[in-house]
Amino acid sequence: MKKMAKNIVVSVVFVALMAGILYRVKDVLDLNVQDGGYAMERFYEQPADSVEVLNLGSSHMYTSANPAVLWDLYGIASYNLGASMQPVWNTYYYLQEALKYQHPKVIVMDVFAVSKTADFQESQCVGMNTQGLKVSQTRMENVQVSVANESEDVDYFLGFPIYHTRYDDIRESYFRDDHGDGSGVNYKGFALQCISTTPVGGFTDVASVEDVNSLTDKNREYLERIIALAKQEEIPLLLVVAPYTGITYEDKKYYNAVEQMVQDAGSGDGVAFVDFNEMCEEIGLDPQNDFAEGNHMNYYGSEIYSKFYGAYLMERYDLTDHRGDEKYATWDADSAFYKKKAANVDIWKTEEGAAYLKKVFAQQDRYTIGILLSGDWYQEELPQLAVLEEQGLDIWNKNMFFIQNGEQVYAINCGEEAGDYYDNAYGEAAACDRGMLYLDGIRDFVTDTGINLVIYDNDLGELVDAVGICNDGTIVRTED
Amino acid sequence: MENFNTPYFARSIKDFWRRWHISLSSWFRDYLYIPLGGNRCSRGRKYFNIMVTFLVSGLWHGANWTYVIWGGLHGLYQVIGQILMPIRKKAVQALQIRTDCSSYKWGQMFVTFALTTFAWIFFRADSMSDAALYIQRMFTEWNPWTLFDGQLYALGLNRVEMKVFIVALVGMFLVDLISYQKKMRIDIYLEQQNLLFQWLVAILLIVSVLVFGKYGPAIASNQFIYFQF
């Protein structure tokens, strides 16, 4: 009897230990990437009944509707709940799941997905659109409608058979609780597109397209279900198409079909449709500067669009300005995070030395900055040197500097002084005897003649940039 | 029935077949080799029986000449080995080679491993011409730098998977080595260890299978080469 009790205890301890380890392994390998299940996982953590505008859809939605801008300008508490290439049926189950936890004042769905006619997607997209949901009947139904081969339903429902292979791409960020996203629970679903703009001819004039394409049966069925669910919950539903430069006449014909559906449903029922592609000039979007590529806005574009979009929502729906309300502090945090992130990206995109340095020093209160002057850098008229002098750096007697949160903490002349600088918080810093600059494990010696610079964002925990500013003012990076 | 008993520690081809796919080789021994007369007959007839048994064993694996050649090679290895036995013994005596030391045994294992691996070329090849080309290139396009210049990673395993493979290979070697030296199955060996060690091994194996295992929608089970047997 005693032996049996001992065996039971040992077995229970082993199973508990095993379960704990497997849970951690699952947590590390989980497919919670920003364009996958991450938005859904973070959605569960939002304060109860706080989300007033629920934005649904694919990447067209979560790269255009900018919750930080909607918050800053109008106090709108919005959340972008979507995933990459999200088809209409996944949006339906995302909505069903979302309504278990929040009761928004308006649901906005970007209907780009209706222009896609395939009834099933590639496995990668299926994974990204099914893995964020908690284990529930909704998750099972979402899987069943997404997976072409029924025998794979269990794999997608369990999840681990789908994402266990991510071990071959494993990186340090997988082990962090926030998966490398500094905003953590404050995340509101926005994906900042910082890709350089792709010059395009201009917007396609789709306003004149009146023909209608038939929606696929599956798209129509799930769009009808979304409309029915919104009506059942008595929440207004706004179907939108966010502007994109790659829109085609064929796409527009599908959007016309959606508009027709809405008209058939009757606008008095709280369902409305708007294609913002017809208002690009009114919104103020510039096709040359505000888009990452044919399908997505960059963050410049999202700011312009969201200003218009927010005003559009405020005018038509009963939304409250929650700025200053303690319950909505996470939107303040998201806004602060966005501003820092956008400033970092702005620095990264700046191509002229003096302007680059000015932007860096404007954010220096939260940066650690390493500076190394190399080669024949000493030409008095250079504007980038003037910026360093304005910051009080003694560049004519020293050539290596570290600035931490706005304070100069280290300055030496590498050629004459031996010594090093070390700070545990931000990693190894300098090895002066070799004239090299290190920060956060990054060795920077990009230009032989000019200013070498490494910038680390202490608030966001990310390397902002590692560059060389040549004497002619051009910016070079190692990969250049 | 234990089906594989540290086969790559075999010191001869005959020994290999006592350790490899034991259920199948026992069946061929009991229902083909012995009914044919086994080794209780003339030397020539015995060699014939060995060749027939291994050629049929090759055919059992698949109706392709590559399998027949694979089986035939294993038959030939044994026949030639037995024919040359007196000469080998004389050579060992003449050269005063010690046969009771570990290095001799490891040498026998290496030769056996090389012979079986050479035969696997035919087993794995899609056709005889593929096998011939493979062997030809072993000698005409000798280039050991392909092991180091990244070409290995173009064969189906990326860098991370290759590391997992090497760690797994070392693990399997250790398991076989323990089984071979302790002359017991690994599970029985583990039972004799402390509970904590048993747990560590069990957890390592379970997590390894779940993480590194080839399963899920992206994997077709018929990709596993031995599936058809």
Side-chain angles (χ1 to χ4, degrees), chain A residues 349-380:
Chain A
K349 292 181 73 155
T350 303
E351 294 171 355
E352 194 279 315
Y356 183 96
L357 281 173
K358 281 180 185 170
K359 287 181 179 176
V360 170
F361 284 114
Q363 305 293 327
Q364 64 175 318
D365 285 352
R366 68 170 198 278
Y367 286 167
T368 294
I369 306 166
I371 299 167
L372 173 67
L373 306 171
S374 308
D376 301 331
W377 58 270
Y378 37 85
Q379 295 177 28
E380 293 183 24

PDB file of all heavy atoms in Angstrom, chain A residues 349-380:
ATOM      1  N   LYS A 349      15.466  55.969 -41.384  1.00  0.00           N
ATOM      2  CA  LYS A 349      15.186  56.321 -42.780  1.00  0.00           C
ATOM      3  C   LYS A 349      15.853  57.626 -43.216  1.00  0.00           C
ATOM      4  O   LYS A 349      15.787  57.988 -44.390  1.00  0.00           O
ATOM      5  CB  LYS A 349      13.666  56.436 -42.982  1.00  0.00           C
ATOM      6  CG  LYS A 349      12.963  55.094 -42.863  1.00  0.00           C
ATOM      7  CD  LYS A 349      11.482  55.217 -43.089  1.00  0.00           C
ATOM      8  CE  LYS A 349      11.190  55.452 -44.558  1.00  0.00           C
ATOM      9  NZ  LYS A 349       9.860  55.028 -44.947  1.00  0.00           N
ATOM     10  N   THR A 350      16.476  58.347 -42.273  1.00  0.00           N
ATOM     11  CA  THR A 350      17.086  59.632 -42.618  1.00  0.00           C
ATOM     12  C   THR A 350      18.430  59.408 -43.318  1.00  0.00           C
ATOM     13  O   THR A 350      19.236  58.594 -42.868  1.00  0.00           O
ATOM     14  CB  THR A 350      17.281  60.483 -41.345  1.00  0.00           C
ATOM     15  OG1 THR A 350      15.999  60.631 -40.726  1.00  0.00           O
ATOM     16  CG2 THR A 350      17.851  61.849 -41.680  1.00  0.00           C
ATOM     17  N   GLU A 351      18.669  60.118 -44.410  1.00  0.00           N
ATOM     18  CA  GLU A 351      19.815  59.800 -45.255  1.00  0.00           C
ATOM     19  C   GLU A 351      20.906  60.861 -45.260  1.00  0.00           C
ATOM     20  O   GLU A 351      21.906  60.718 -45.973  1.00  0.00           O
ATOM     21  CB  GLU A 351      19.328  59.554 -46.702  1.00  0.00           C
ATOM     22  CG  GLU A 351      18.461  58.305 -46.806  1.00  0.00           C
ATOM     23  CD  GLU A 351      17.801  58.168 -48.159  1.00  0.00           C
ATOM     24  OE1 GLU A 351      17.933  59.092 -48.980  1.00  0.00           O
ATOM     25  OE2 GLU A 351      17.142  57.136 -48.373  1.00  0.00           O
ATOM     26  N   GLU A 352      20.740  61.947 -44.497  1.00  0.00           N
ATOM     27  CA  GLU A 352      21.758  63.008 -44.500  1.00  0.00           C
ATOM     28  C   GLU A 352      22.335  63.146 -43.094  1.00  0.00           C
ATOM     29  O   GLU A 352      21.600  63.190 -42.096  1.00  0.00           O
ATOM     30  CB  GLU A 352      21.117  64.319 -44.978  1.00  0.00           C
ATOM     31  CG  GLU A 352      22.104  65.412 -45.356  1.00  0.00           C
ATOM     32  CD  GLU A 352      22.626  66.153 -44.134  1.00  0.00           C
ATOM     33  OE1 GLU A 352      21.814  66.508 -43.255  1.00  0.00           O
ATOM     34  OE2 GLU A 352      23.865  66.344 -44.045  1.00  0.00           O
ATOM     35  N   GLY A 353      23.654  63.211 -42.998  1.00  0.00           N
ATOM     36  CA  GLY A 353      24.358  63.100 -41.730  1.00  0.00           C
ATOM     37  C   GLY A 353      23.925  64.062 -40.649  1.00  0.00           C
ATOM     38  O   GLY A 353      23.607  63.640 -39.523  1.00  0.00           O
ATOM     39  N   ALA A 354      23.904  65.372 -40.952  1.00  0.00           N
ATOM     40  CA  ALA A 354      23.582  66.362 -39.916  1.00  0.00           C
ATOM     41  C   ALA A 354      22.142  66.195 -39.441  1.00  0.00           C
ATOM     42  O   ALA A 354      21.864  66.220 -38.223  1.00  0.00           O
ATOM     43  CB  ALA A 354      23.805  67.769 -40.456  1.00  0.00           C
ATOM     44  N   ALA A 355      21.222  65.987 -40.396  1.00  0.00           N
ATOM     45  CA  ALA A 355      19.811  65.793 -40.036  1.00  0.00           C
ATOM     46  C   ALA A 355      19.660  64.530 -39.193  1.00  0.00           C
ATOM     47  O   ALA A 355      18.887  64.496 -38.217  1.00  0.00           O
ATOM     48  CB  ALA A 355      18.958  65.696 -41.300  1.00  0.00           C
ATOM     49  N   TYR A 356      20.416  63.516 -39.570  1.00  0.00           N
ATOM     50  CA  TYR A 356      20.387  62.239 -38.845  1.00  0.00           C
ATOM     51  C   TYR A 356      20.790  62.461 -37.378  1.00  0.00           C
ATOM     52  O   TYR A 356      20.098  62.036 -36.451  1.00  0.00           O
ATOM     53  CB  TYR A 356      21.353  61.264 -39.529  1.00  0.00           C
ATOM     54  CG  TYR A 356      21.379  59.872 -38.939  1.00  0.00           C
ATOM     55  CD1 TYR A 356      20.617  58.849 -39.497  1.00  0.00           C
ATOM     56  CD2 TYR A 356      22.165  59.568 -37.840  1.00  0.00           C
ATOM     57  CE1 TYR A 356      20.636  57.567 -38.972  1.00  0.00           C
ATOM     58  CE2 TYR A 356      22.192  58.299 -37.299  1.00  0.00           C
ATOM     59  CZ  TYR A 356      21.433  57.296 -37.875  1.00  0.00           C
ATOM     60  OH  TYR A 356      21.451  56.031 -37.347  1.00  0.00           O
ATOM     61  N   LEU A 357      21.920  63.162 -37.191  1.00  0.00           N
ATOM     62  CA  LEU A 357      22.408  63.392 -35.828  1.00  0.00           C
ATOM     63  C   LEU A 357      21.429  64.226 -35.004  1.00  0.00           C
ATOM     64  O   LEU A 357      21.217  63.969 -33.812  1.00  0.00           O
ATOM     65  CB  LEU A 357      23.769  64.089 -35.876  1.00  0.00           C
ATOM     66  CG  LEU A 357      24.965  63.177 -36.189  1.00  0.00           C
ATOM     67  CD1 LEU A 357      26.220  64.014 -36.372  1.00  0.00           C
ATOM     68  CD2 LEU A 357      25.164  62.153 -35.086  1.00  0.00           C
ATOM     69  N   LYS A 358      20.822  65.222 -35.642  1.00  0.00           N
ATOM     70  CA  LYS A 358      19.857  66.062 -34.918  1.00  0.00           C
ATOM     71  C   LYS A 358      18.686  65.207 -34.412  1.00  0.00           C
ATOM     72  O   LYS A 358      18.225  65.381 -33.278  1.00  0.00           O
ATOM     73  CB  LYS A 358      19.334  67.173 -35.837  1.00  0.00           C
ATOM     74  CG  LYS A 358      20.320  68.334 -35.969  1.00  0.00           C
ATOM     75  CD  LYS A 358      19.771  69.405 -36.884  1.00  0.00           C
ATOM     76  CE  LYS A 358      20.821  70.498 -37.097  1.00  0.00           C
ATOM     77  NZ  LYS A 358      20.467  71.441 -38.150  1.00  0.00           N
ATOM     78  N   LYS A 359      18.220  64.294 -35.268  1.00  0.00           N
ATOM     79  CA  LYS A 359      17.103  63.433 -34.854  1.00  0.00           C
ATOM     80  C   LYS A 359      17.522  62.494 -33.728  1.00  0.00           C
ATOM     81  O   LYS A 359      16.736  62.205 -32.827  1.00  0.00           O
ATOM     82  CB  LYS A 359      16.586  62.633 -36.054  1.00  0.00           C
ATOM     83  CG  LYS A 359      15.800  63.482 -37.034  1.00  0.00           C
ATOM     84  CD  LYS A 359      15.277  62.679 -38.203  1.00  0.00           C
ATOM     85  CE  LYS A 359      14.471  63.577 -39.146  1.00  0.00           C
ATOM     86  NZ  LYS A 359      14.023  62.880 -40.348  1.00  0.00           N
ATOM     87  N   VAL A 360      18.756  62.006 -33.791  1.00  0.00           N
ATOM     88  CA  VAL A 360      19.251  61.116 -32.732  1.00  0.00           C
ATOM     89  C   VAL A 360      19.306  61.871 -31.403  1.00  0.00           C
ATOM     90  O   VAL A 360      18.811  61.391 -30.373  1.00  0.00           O
ATOM     91  CB  VAL A 360      20.654  60.568 -33.093  1.00  0.00           C
ATOM     92  CG1 VAL A 360      21.276  59.854 -31.880  1.00  0.00           C
ATOM     93  CG2 VAL A 360      20.564  59.615 -34.278  1.00  0.00           C
ATOM     94  N   PHE A 361      19.878  63.081 -31.427  1.00  0.00           N
ATOM     95  CA  PHE A 361      20.013  63.832 -30.177  1.00  0.00           C
ATOM     96  C   PHE A 361      18.662  64.308 -29.646  1.00  0.00           C
ATOM     97  O   PHE A 361      18.507  64.508 -28.442  1.00  0.00           O
ATOM     98  CB  PHE A 361      20.995  64.994 -30.346  1.00  0.00           C
ATOM     99  CG  PHE A 361      22.426  64.523 -30.367  1.00  0.00           C
ATOM    100  CD1 PHE A 361      23.211  64.635 -31.507  1.00  0.00           C
ATOM    101  CD2 PHE A 361      22.984  63.934 -29.233  1.00  0.00           C
ATOM    102  CE1 PHE A 361      24.519  64.176 -31.527  1.00  0.00           C
ATOM    103  CE2 PHE A 361      24.296  63.477 -29.246  1.00  0.00           C
ATOM    104  CZ  PHE A 361      25.063  63.589 -30.391  1.00  0.00           C
ATOM    105  N   ALA A 362      17.688  64.445 -30.545  1.00  0.00           N
ATOM    106  CA  ALA A 362      16.347  64.830 -30.081  1.00  0.00           C
ATOM    107  C   ALA A 362      15.730  63.733 -29.211  1.00  0.00           C
ATOM    108  O   ALA A 362      14.870  63.989 -28.382  1.00  0.00           O
ATOM    109  CB  ALA A 362      15.451  65.123 -31.288  1.00  0.00           C
ATOM    110  N   GLN A 363      16.172  62.479 -29.412  1.00  0.00           N
ATOM    111  CA  GLN A 363      15.628  61.351 -28.643  1.00  0.00           C
ATOM    112  C   GLN A 363      16.617  60.848 -27.593  1.00  0.00           C
ATOM    113  O   GLN A 363      16.417  59.782 -27.013  1.00  0.00           O
ATOM    114  CB  GLN A 363      15.304  60.187 -29.606  1.00  0.00           C
ATOM    115  CG  GLN A 363      14.391  60.528 -30.758  1.00  0.00           C
ATOM    116  CD  GLN A 363      12.977  60.857 -30.311  1.00  0.00           C
ATOM    117  OE1 GLN A 363      12.480  60.306 -29.332  1.00  0.00           O
ATOM    118  NE2 GLN A 363      12.332  61.775 -31.010  1.00  0.00           N
ATOM    119  N   GLN A 364      17.716  61.581 -27.363  1.00  0.00           N
ATOM    120  CA  GLN A 364      18.809  61.024 -26.560  1.00  0.00           C
ATOM    121  C   GLN A 364      18.429  60.721 -25.105  1.00  0.00           C
ATOM    122  O   GLN A 364      19.118  59.956 -24.442  1.00  0.00           O
ATOM    123  CB  GLN A 364      20.027  61.952 -26.593  1.00  0.00           C
ATOM    124  CG  GLN A 364      19.794  63.312 -25.961  1.00  0.00           C
ATOM    125  CD  GLN A 364      21.082  64.124 -25.920  1.00  0.00           C
ATOM    126  OE1 GLN A 364      22.136  63.606 -25.622  1.00  0.00           O
ATOM    127  NE2 GLN A 364      20.989  65.402 -26.256  1.00  0.00           N
ATOM    128  N   ASP A 365      17.324  61.285 -24.619  1.00  0.00           N
ATOM    129  CA  ASP A 365      16.929  61.028 -23.233  1.00  0.00           C
ATOM    130  C   ASP A 365      16.665  59.551 -22.955  1.00  0.00           C
ATOM    131  O   ASP A 365      16.651  59.123 -21.804  1.00  0.00           O
ATOM    132  CB  ASP A 365      15.679  61.835 -22.881  1.00  0.00           C
ATOM    133  CG  ASP A 365      16.026  63.305 -22.677  1.00  0.00           C
ATOM    134  OD1 ASP A 365      17.238  63.617 -22.672  1.00  0.00           O
ATOM    135  OD2 ASP A 365      15.099  64.115 -22.546  1.00  0.00           O
ATOM    136  N   ARG A 366      16.396  58.778 -23.987  1.00  0.00           N
ATOM    137  CA  ARG A 366      16.157  57.345 -23.756  1.00  0.00           C
ATOM    138  C   ARG A 366      17.174  56.461 -24.489  1.00  0.00           C
ATOM    139  O   ARG A 366      17.025  55.246 -24.524  1.00  0.00           O
ATOM    140  CB  ARG A 366      14.735  56.972 -24.185  1.00  0.00           C
ATOM    141  CG  ARG A 366      14.455  57.047 -25.663  1.00  0.00           C
ATOM    142  CD  ARG A 366      13.080  56.413 -25.964  1.00  0.00           C
ATOM    143  NE  ARG A 366      12.927  56.088 -27.350  1.00  0.00           N
ATOM    144  CZ  ARG A 366      12.570  56.946 -28.288  1.00  0.00           C
ATOM    145  NH1 ARG A 366      12.354  58.207 -27.977  1.00  0.00           N
ATOM    146  NH2 ARG A 366      12.427  56.553 -29.544  1.00  0.00           N
ATOM    147  N   TYR A 367      18.191  57.063 -25.069  1.00  0.00           N
ATOM    148  CA  TYR A 367      19.168  56.281 -25.838  1.00  0.00           C
ATOM    149  C   TYR A 367      20.476  56.106 -25.087  1.00  0.00           C
ATOM    150  O   TYR A 367      20.857  56.942 -24.253  1.00  0.00           O
ATOM    151  CB  TYR A 367      19.528  57.005 -27.135  1.00  0.00           C
ATOM    152  CG  TYR A 367      18.475  56.990 -28.220  1.00  0.00           C
ATOM    153  CD1 TYR A 367      18.593  57.844 -29.323  1.00  0.00           C
ATOM    154  CD2 TYR A 367      17.390  56.123 -28.177  1.00  0.00           C
ATOM    155  CE1 TYR A 367      17.656  57.852 -30.335  1.00  0.00           C
ATOM    156  CE2 TYR A 367      16.442  56.126 -29.190  1.00  0.00           C
ATOM    157  CZ  TYR A 367      16.570  56.995 -30.261  1.00  0.00           C
ATOM    158  OH  TYR A 367      15.644  56.997 -31.259  1.00  0.00           O
ATOM    159  N   THR A 368      21.200  55.032 -25.436  1.00  0.00           N
ATOM    160  CA  THR A 368      22.637  54.984 -25.207  1.00  0.00           C
ATOM    161  C   THR A 368      23.263  55.157 -26.592  1.00  0.00           C
ATOM    162  O   THR A 368      22.914  54.427 -27.533  1.00  0.00           O
ATOM    163  CB  THR A 368      23.076  53.652 -24.583  1.00  0.00           C
ATOM    164  OG1 THR A 368      22.516  53.562 -23.281  1.00  0.00           O
ATOM    165  CG2 THR A 368      24.594  53.573 -24.483  1.00  0.00           C
ATOM    166  N   ILE A 369      24.141  56.144 -26.696  1.00  0.00           N
ATOM    167  CA  ILE A 369      24.735  56.459 -28.000  1.00  0.00           C
ATOM    168  C   ILE A 369      26.250  56.298 -27.887  1.00  0.00           C
ATOM    169  O   ILE A 369      26.872  56.860 -26.983  1.00  0.00           O
ATOM    170  CB  ILE A 369      24.428  57.912 -28.422  1.00  0.00           C
ATOM    171  CG1 ILE A 369      22.915  58.178 -28.376  1.00  0.00           C
ATOM    172  CG2 ILE A 369      24.985  58.211 -29.817  1.00  0.00           C
ATOM    173  CD1 ILE A 369      22.557  59.657 -28.449  1.00  0.00           C
ATOM    174  N   GLY A 370      26.826  55.506 -28.761  1.00  0.00           N
ATOM    175  CA  GLY A 370      28.280  55.378 -28.833  1.00  0.00           C
ATOM    176  C   GLY A 370      28.777  56.093 -30.078  1.00  0.00           C
ATOM    177  O   GLY A 370      28.210  55.928 -31.158  1.00  0.00           O
ATOM    178  N   ILE A 371      29.802  56.928 -29.919  1.00  0.00           N
ATOM    179  CA  ILE A 371      30.318  57.708 -31.063  1.00  0.00           C
ATOM    180  C   ILE A 371      31.826  57.494 -31.161  1.00  0.00           C
ATOM    181  O   ILE A 371      32.538  57.571 -30.155  1.00  0.00           O
ATOM    182  CB  ILE A 371      30.032  59.213 -30.871  1.00  0.00           C
ATOM    183  CG1 ILE A 371      28.522  59.458 -30.774  1.00  0.00           C
ATOM    184  CG2 ILE A 371      30.630  60.040 -32.027  1.00  0.00           C
ATOM    185  CD1 ILE A 371      28.159  60.849 -30.288  1.00  0.00           C
ATOM    186  N   LEU A 372      32.303  57.208 -32.357  1.00  0.00           N
ATOM    187  CA  LEU A 372      33.743  57.069 -32.589  1.00  0.00           C
ATOM    188  C   LEU A 372      34.112  57.861 -33.847  1.00  0.00           C
ATOM    189  O   LEU A 372      33.551  57.624 -34.919  1.00  0.00           O
ATOM    190  CB  LEU A 372      34.099  55.593 -32.787  1.00  0.00           C
ATOM    191  CG  LEU A 372      35.546  55.306 -33.199  1.00  0.00           C
ATOM    192  CD1 LEU A 372      36.510  55.678 -32.072  1.00  0.00           C
ATOM    193  CD2 LEU A 372      35.722  53.830 -33.559  1.00  0.00           C
ATOM    194  N   LEU A 373      35.028  58.807 -33.670  1.00  0.00           N
ATOM    195  CA  LEU A 373      35.490  59.598 -34.815  1.00  0.00           C
ATOM    196  C   LEU A 373      36.699  58.882 -35.412  1.00  0.00           C
ATOM    197  O   LEU A 373      37.656  58.566 -34.703  1.00  0.00           O
ATOM    198  CB  LEU A 373      35.872  61.010 -34.364  1.00  0.00           C
ATOM    199  CG  LEU A 373      34.776  61.767 -33.601  1.00  0.00           C
ATOM    200  CD1 LEU A 373      35.309  63.063 -33.013  1.00  0.00           C
ATOM    201  CD2 LEU A 373      33.594  62.056 -34.523  1.00  0.00           C
ATOM    202  N   SER A 374      36.665  58.631 -36.718  1.00  0.00           N
ATOM    203  CA  SER A 374      37.715  57.816 -37.335  1.00  0.00           C
ATOM    204  C   SER A 374      38.388  58.550 -38.485  1.00  0.00           C
ATOM    205  O   SER A 374      37.769  59.373 -39.179  1.00  0.00           O
ATOM    206  CB  SER A 374      37.121  56.519 -37.875  1.00  0.00           C
ATOM    207  OG  SER A 374      36.382  55.881 -36.890  1.00  0.00           O
ATOM    208  N   GLY A 375      39.639  58.191 -38.706  1.00  0.00           N
ATOM    209  CA  GLY A 375      40.387  58.673 -39.871  1.00  0.00           C
ATOM    210  C   GLY A 375      40.479  60.185 -39.927  1.00  0.00           C
ATOM    211  O   GLY A 375      40.612  60.874 -38.901  1.00  0.00           O
ATOM    212  N   ASP A 376      40.384  60.733 -41.157  1.00  0.00           N
ATOM    213  CA  ASP A 376      40.500  62.186 -41.353  1.00  0.00           C
ATOM    214  C   ASP A 376      39.131  62.855 -41.217  1.00  0.00           C
ATOM    215  O   ASP A 376      38.613  63.453 -42.150  1.00  0.00           O
ATOM    216  CB  ASP A 376      41.086  62.480 -42.743  1.00  0.00           C
ATOM    217  CG  ASP A 376      42.455  61.839 -42.905  1.00  0.00           C
ATOM    218  OD1 ASP A 376      43.149  61.673 -41.881  1.00  0.00           O
ATOM    219  OD2 ASP A 376      42.810  61.486 -44.039  1.00  0.00           O
ATOM    220  N   TRP A 377      38.549  62.751 -40.042  1.00  0.00           N
ATOM    221  CA  TRP A 377      37.201  63.280 -39.827  1.00  0.00           C
ATOM    222  C   TRP A 377      37.214  64.785 -39.576  1.00  0.00           C
ATOM    223  O   TRP A 377      36.210  65.461 -39.691  1.00  0.00           O
ATOM    224  CB  TRP A 377      36.576  62.601 -38.597  1.00  0.00           C
ATOM    225  CG  TRP A 377      37.405  62.796 -37.356  1.00  0.00           C
ATOM    226  CD1 TRP A 377      38.396  61.989 -36.917  1.00  0.00           C
ATOM    227  CD2 TRP A 377      37.360  63.912 -36.453  1.00  0.00           C
ATOM    228  NE1 TRP A 377      38.975  62.500 -35.792  1.00  0.00           N
ATOM    229  CE2 TRP A 377      38.359  63.688 -35.473  1.00  0.00           C
ATOM    230  CE3 TRP A 377      36.582  65.072 -36.372  1.00  0.00           C
ATOM    231  CZ2 TRP A 377      38.602  64.579 -34.444  1.00  0.00           C
ATOM    232  CZ3 TRP A 377      36.823  65.951 -35.331  1.00  0.00           C
ATOM    233  CH2 TRP A 377      37.821  65.712 -34.374  1.00  0.00           C
ATOM    234  N   TYR A 378      38.429  65.363 -39.253  1.00  0.00           N
ATOM    235  CA  TYR A 378      38.523  66.712 -38.675  1.00  0.00           C
ATOM    236  C   TYR A 378      38.484  67.822 -39.723  1.00  0.00           C
ATOM    237  O   TYR A 378      39.485  68.445 -40.002  1.00  0.00           O
ATOM    238  CB  TYR A 378      39.776  66.821 -37.811  1.00  0.00           C
ATOM    239  CG  TYR A 378      40.968  66.073 -38.369  1.00  0.00           C
ATOM    240  CD1 TYR A 378      41.814  66.646 -39.310  1.00  0.00           C
ATOM    241  CD2 TYR A 378      41.212  64.765 -37.955  1.00  0.00           C
ATOM    242  CE1 TYR A 378      42.885  65.931 -39.818  1.00  0.00           C
ATOM    243  CE2 TYR A 378      42.283  64.051 -38.455  1.00  0.00           C
ATOM    244  CZ  TYR A 378      43.121  64.633 -39.389  1.00  0.00           C
ATOM    245  OH  TYR A 378      44.159  63.925 -39.890  1.00  0.00           O
ATOM    246  N   GLN A 379      37.349  68.032 -40.327  1.00  0.00           N
ATOM    247  CA  GLN A 379      37.171  69.148 -41.256  1.00  0.00           C
ATOM    248  C   GLN A 379      36.143  70.078 -40.624  1.00  0.00           C
ATOM    249  O   GLN A 379      34.976  69.722 -40.496  1.00  0.00           O
ATOM    250  CB  GLN A 379      36.713  68.644 -42.613  1.00  0.00           C
ATOM    251  CG  GLN A 379      37.777  67.771 -43.277  1.00  0.00           C
ATOM    252  CD  GLN A 379      37.306  67.210 -44.599  1.00  0.00           C
ATOM    253  OE1 GLN A 379      36.476  67.808 -45.260  1.00  0.00           O
ATOM    254  NE2 GLN A 379      37.838  66.064 -44.970  1.00  0.00           N
ATOM    255  N   GLU A 380      36.604  71.274 -40.249  1.00  0.00           N
ATOM    256  CA  GLU A 380      35.820  72.128 -39.366  1.00  0.00           C
ATOM    257  C   GLU A 380      34.449  72.526 -39.895  1.00  0.00           C
ATOM    258  O   GLU A 380      33.517  72.732 -39.146  1.00  0.00           O
ATOM    259  CB  GLU A 380      36.627  73.388 -39.016  1.00  0.00           C
ATOM    260  CG  GLU A 380      37.838  73.045 -38.163  1.00  0.00           C
ATOM    261  CD  GLU A 380      38.604  74.282 -37.748  1.00  0.00           C
ATOM    262  OE1 GLU A 380      37.997  75.364 -37.716  1.00  0.00           O
ATOM    263  OE2 GLU A 380      39.803  74.157 -37.455  1.00  0.00           O
TER     264      GLU A 380
END
